Amino acid sequence: INAQEYGAEDGLTLADSQTLARMVNGLVDAISVSARGFGKSALVNYPDEPGALLPLAGEIKKVVTVPVIAVGRLNPEVGEKAIVDGQADLIALGRQSIADPEVPNKIFSGRLDEIRPCIACFYCTDAGLRLDSHIGCQVNAEIGKERECEIRPASVARKIAVIGGGPAGLEASRVLALRGHKVVLFEREGQLGGMLAVGAVPPHKERLKPLISYFEIPLNKLDVDIRLNTEANAELIASLGADVVLMTAGASPVIPSIPGIDGKNVCTAVDILAGKAQAGNKVVVIGGGSTGCETAEFLLEKGRETTVVEMQSGIALDAGASERLRLLNRINALPIAIFTNTRCSEIKADGITVCGK
């Protein structure tokens, strides 16, 4: 049942749902308690905070005798506490089970550190709408393609050098090691994660951090040779005697050809988020995609006066429908100046020139 409706005038109230729960108590085996929202509240049933819907389940549980099932971006730790505290009898792990279908077995065997975390990116819910395809998952490439992606032992074990410790390099190293290969992973920076680590810096993106930790644990258990602060070159690879070299160094940012783009007052969003560059008191973010919006949010939190300039008619158009709604709800409530259908034509030492698209 939906325990409460948000964003709708005269919507279903918690008291209404308690009345309904009493009516069906004894006629059903269990009651699963969710919520529903409309407009800006449309994502209430996909909360940012694990356990945000637990109070609703607890209120329904007070008026029934049948088991109550709790939902809402729960993880094993939050779910266990909910049961101990009497807020629910059963815990539903929906999206978490897409990210890692083995989650029940890992919980029962005490291998909580091996659970591949759901990063609450909404890709599983948005993939069909956006790509007109089957269900997908940003952290589990096997979902829906389990037979095709089955990991089988290699016929010949090889020594493989993987260059780049971002998400592609980490996953490649994991799969190669599971197949029996000897893997050496090179990462130029002092930490693993690559752009995933940078992407976890903006506000509300800390949900990405557990994914980096998830990769580190199995790689250590699989004896992957991880070499941080090491830039791979031809000489180093030759001395290693690798049979195969896999390049997973990631992408480079697209730099638009705007007059003045090479000025000392210009840097990339990656440099800002990685702490390699510092912004002044007034900042213009050129590009209002997801990265631009999240960087603007980050800069505002640091006390910078921030403006976003975007050529297209809207911001964050590269995001899935649900993730975009979550981002827009935040950005629109912040004092960030946003100019759409606007192109930056020149960058100067003391400002920029813009024009209508």
Side-chain angles (χ1 to χ4, degrees):
I1 64 173
N2 291 323
Q4 188 167 334
E5 291 183 320
Y6 296 81
E9 187 177 352
D10 297 327
L12 192 70
T13 68
L14 180 58
D16 294 333
S17 294
Q18 286 181 315
T19 299
L20 174 62
R22 291 190 188 94
M23 291 171 64
V24 301
N25 185 46
L27 302 176
V28 297
D29 295 313
I31 299 177
S32 178
V33 182
S34 184
R36 184 66 178 171
F38 304 89
K40 293 182 179 181
S41 301
L43 300 179
V44 67
N45 56 327
Y46 294 130
D48 285 345
E49 186 68 25
L53 299 182
L54 282 174
L56 297 178
E59 291 302 310
I60 296 298
K61 183 170 169 56
K62 290 178 181 179
V63 300
V64 298
T65 57
V66 296
V68 169
I69 305 170
V71 305
R73 203 194 158 195
L74 297 172
N75 55 45
E77 294 81 6
V78 174
E80 178 72 15
K81 186 176 185 304
I83 292 175
V84 171
D85 292 346
Q87 290 181 295
D89 303 289
L90 298 163
I91 301 300
L93 301 174
R95 286 181 293 164
Q96 176 59 71
S97 296
I98 296 174
D100 189 345
E102 288 296 313
V103 62
N105 293 328
K106 291 178 179 179
I107 292 173
F108 288 139
S109 59
R111 295 178 291 139
L112 298 183
D113 60 348
E114 294 183 19
I115 296 174
R116 184 191 290 115
C118 168
I119 59 173
C121 64
F122 298 115
Y123 187 84
C124 55
T125 59
D126 288 345
L129 293 174
R130 186 178 179 193
L131 305 176
D132 192 26
S133 64
H134 56 72
I135 193 171
C137 179
Q138 296 250 44
V139 302
N140 181 11
E142 299 175 25
I143 196 70
K145 300 179 290 185
E146 288 81 3
R147 289 191 179 93
E148 178 185 341
C149 297
E150 182 181 358
I151 298 175
R152 301 183 180 91
S155 56
V156 178
R158 303 182 186 277
K159 192 170 190 178
I160 301 178
V162 178
I163 302 176
L170 294 171
E171 177 69 352
S173 297
R174 183 186 73 88
V175 174
L176 289 168
L178 284 172
R179 297 196 65 206
H181 297 296
K182 176 61 178 177
V183 180
V184 182
L185 174 61
F186 295 98
E187 171 52 47
R188 181 173 57 187
E189 304 294 335
Q191 63 177 2
L192 296 174
M195 290 298 100
L196 189 63
V198 175
V201 172
H204 308 283
K205 294 299 289 293
E206 61 279 351
R207 51 196 163 93
L208 298 181
K209 293 178 181 178
L211 185 58
I212 302 174
S213 301
Y214 157 77
F215 278 116
E216 291 177 345
I217 293 169
L219 292 187
N220 289 328
K221 290 183 178 180
L222 292 167
D223 292 324
V224 172
D225 184 358
I226 301 174
R227 303 187 185 184
L228 300 176
N229 296 305
T230 304
E231 187 162 357
N233 54 42
E235 183 179 354
L236 179 58
I237 297 299
S239 66
L240 187 67
D243 300 303
V244 177
V245 178
L246 184 60
M247 286 290 297
T248 62
S252 299
V254 176
I255 307 297
S257 56
I258 301 172
I261 195 73
D262 54 351
K264 293 182 179 180
N265 60 334
V266 181
C267 63
T268 66
V270 171
D271 286 341
I272 289 290
L273 296 175
K276 296 180 179 179
Q278 296 297 318
N281 292 324
K282 283 188 175 183
V283 184
V284 175
V285 178
I286 300 176
S290 298
T291 300
C293 290
E294 290 172 359
T295 303
E297 197 175 5
F298 170 79
L299 290 168
L300 182 70
E301 193 175 75
K302 298 297 180 182
R304 307 304 199 268
E305 183 180 333
T306 309
T307 299
V308 175
V309 175
E310 169 57 47
M311 291 176 57
Q312 299 189 77
S313 59
I315 59 173
L317 294 176
D318 57 334
S322 301
E323 178 68 7
R324 182 170 185 260
L325 176 59
R326 175 159 63 182
L327 194 153
L328 290 179
N329 282 344
R330 297 199 312 267
I331 291 291
N332 291 334
L334 298 174
I336 296 175
I338 299 174
F339 294 88
T340 56
N341 291 312
T342 304
R343 180 172 59 86
C344 176
S345 58
E346 185 180 7
I347 301 173
K348 303 176 183 179
D350 59 350
I352 68 170
T353 302
V354 299
C355 60
K357 182 179 176 182

